[in-house]
Amino acid sequence: MDGVDAFRRIADDIPFGVIGIPAAIAAASEGRDLKVLVTLDAARVTGHLVARRDIKTADALRGKRLGVNRLGTGAWIHSILALDHLGLDPQRDGISFVEIGNVPQLVQALEAGGIDAVVTDPGQSAQLRGKGFSLLLDMYPANISGVQSALVVAGPYSRHHPDVVEKVVAGLVEGIGFSLAPRNEEIVRKTLMARMKISAPAAAEGGYRNFLSRANRKPYASITAMRNMQRVMALNDPKVLNVKIEDLADDRFVRKLDESGAIDRLYESYGVK
């Protein structure tokens, strides 16, 4: 099921879902009444652009193939942002995109030579670099604005059941606190390894440390980061520019928790600094 289909289910079958910001914007551009309640990662892209062992510089990407999950969505958007930061233009520089599937499949394609480069999670990047693949760009210190995962609710449900929405947002914030707690490091590390299919201990360590740095501790939806994602999406689908990001984002539930001091108290109870 792709992102837009998932949002149809959120609107029609179930009230909540955790899915990518690009899918939320795309669904809103089709007229879906949705609200982004929480963004789970910091408002900076944390991906790594990793290439074949023989590709050592950004210039060597000219004429090459980048793997993406699907044009117009996550990995493609991050690839466009990475190329833009490096001064590369796909059309001008003959860089093509190959649609493959999920992130583990993209990594497998790079290892098998089916693609020349891919933007992937830092944990998977560490595992690839351990095998000799080249890191061309770490997007986080490059301060590239963007955001991926979000908690979204069907608009009508939010309007009719704000008390339930508030409890769900509070529960998710507690989940962030649990995940950041030093005493829960082992279980979080194992979860990341299973989800991202990481086996190397050093790569797992890198993935965990990256999670700690990118987690959105006060998970307001970043309007600036969402707009940057929208800007890139418009290269593939201009109608997404009709979406008013300010109307899509609804931070009142996070704001209530934050201004009451509930978030700070929660993190203090988990020993999160």
Coordinates of all heavy atoms in Angstrom, one line a residue, residues 6 12 60 65 81 93 130 155 160 174 196 237 257 264 273:
A6 N -2.7 4.7 2.0 CA -2.8 4.6 3.5 C -3.6 5.8 4.0 O -4.4 5.6 5.0 CB -1.3 4.6 4.0
D12 N -11.1 7.0 5.9 CA -12.3 6.2 5.8 C -12.5 5.1 6.8 O -13.6 4.8 7.2 CB -12.3 5.6 4.4 CG -12.3 6.6 3.3 OD1 -12.8 7.7 3.5 OD2 -11.9 6.3 2.2
A60 N 31.2 12.7 -9.8 CA 31.2 11.4 -10.5 C 29.8 10.8 -10.6 O 29.6 9.8 -11.2 CB 32.1 10.4 -9.7
R65 N 22.8 6.4 -11.8 CA 21.4 6.0 -11.4 C 21.3 6.1 -9.9 O 22.1 5.4 -9.2 CB 21.1 4.6 -11.9 CG 21.3 4.4 -13.4 CD 21.5 2.9 -13.7 NE 22.8 2.4 -13.0 CZ 23.1 1.1 -12.8 NH1 22.3 0.2 -13.3 NH2 24.2 0.8 -12.2
L81 N 17.1 16.9 -2.8 CA 17.7 17.8 -1.8 C 19.2 17.6 -1.7 O 19.9 18.6 -1.6 CB 17.0 17.7 -0.4 CG 15.6 18.1 -0.3 CD1 15.0 17.7 1.1 CD2 15.4 19.6 -0.5
D93 N 22.5 17.1 -15.6 CA 23.7 16.2 -15.4 C 23.4 14.8 -15.7 O 24.2 13.9 -15.4 CB 24.2 16.3 -13.9 CG 24.7 17.7 -13.6 OD1 25.4 18.3 -14.4 OD2 24.3 18.3 -12.5
G130 N 31.1 0.2 6.0 CA 31.9 -0.9 6.5 C 32.3 -1.9 5.4 O 33.3 -2.7 5.5
G155 N -9.3 14.8 9.7 CA -9.8 16.1 10.2 C -11.2 16.0 10.9 O -11.3 16.6 12.0
H160 N -14.4 16.3 16.1 CA -15.4 15.7 16.9 C -14.9 15.0 18.2 O -15.7 14.8 19.2 CB -16.2 14.7 16.1 CG -16.9 15.3 15.0 ND1 -17.1 14.6 13.7 CD2 -17.6 16.5 14.8 CE1 -17.7 15.4 12.9 NE2 -18.1 16.5 13.5
E174 N 5.0 10.3 25.2 CA 5.6 9.4 26.2 C 6.4 8.3 25.5 O 7.5 7.9 26.0 CB 4.5 8.7 27.0 CG 5.1 7.8 28.1 CD 4.2 7.6 29.3 OE1 3.1 8.0 29.3 OE2 4.7 7.0 30.3
M196 N 15.5 -1.8 10.6 CA 16.3 -1.3 9.5 C 17.2 -2.4 8.9 O 18.0 -2.2 8.0 CB 17.2 -0.2 9.9 CG 16.5 1.0 10.6 SD 15.2 1.7 9.5 CE 16.1 2.3 8.1
D237 N 4.8 16.9 -9.1 CA 3.4 17.1 -9.1 C 3.0 18.5 -8.6 O 2.8 18.8 -7.5 CB 2.8 16.0 -8.1 CG 1.3 16.1 -8.0 OD1 0.7 16.7 -8.9 OD2 0.7 15.4 -7.1
L257 N 0.5 20.4 25.8 CA 1.4 19.6 26.6 C 2.6 20.4 27.0 O 3.1 20.3 28.1 CB 1.7 18.3 25.9 CG 0.7 17.3 25.7 CD1 1.1 16.2 24.7 CD2 0.3 16.7 27.0
D264 N 8.2 18.3 29.7 CA 9.4 18.4 30.5 C 9.3 17.5 31.7 O 10.3 16.8 32.1 CB 9.6 19.9 31.0 CG 10.0 20.8 29.9 OD1 10.6 20.3 28.9 OD2 9.7 22.0 30.0
K273 N 17.8 14.0 29.4 CA 18.3 15.3 29.6 C 18.4 16.1 28.2 O 18.4 15.5 27.2 CB 19.7 15.3 30.2 CG 19.7 14.7 31.6 CD 21.1 14.6 32.1 CE 21.1 14.0 33.5 NZ 22.5 14.0 34.1

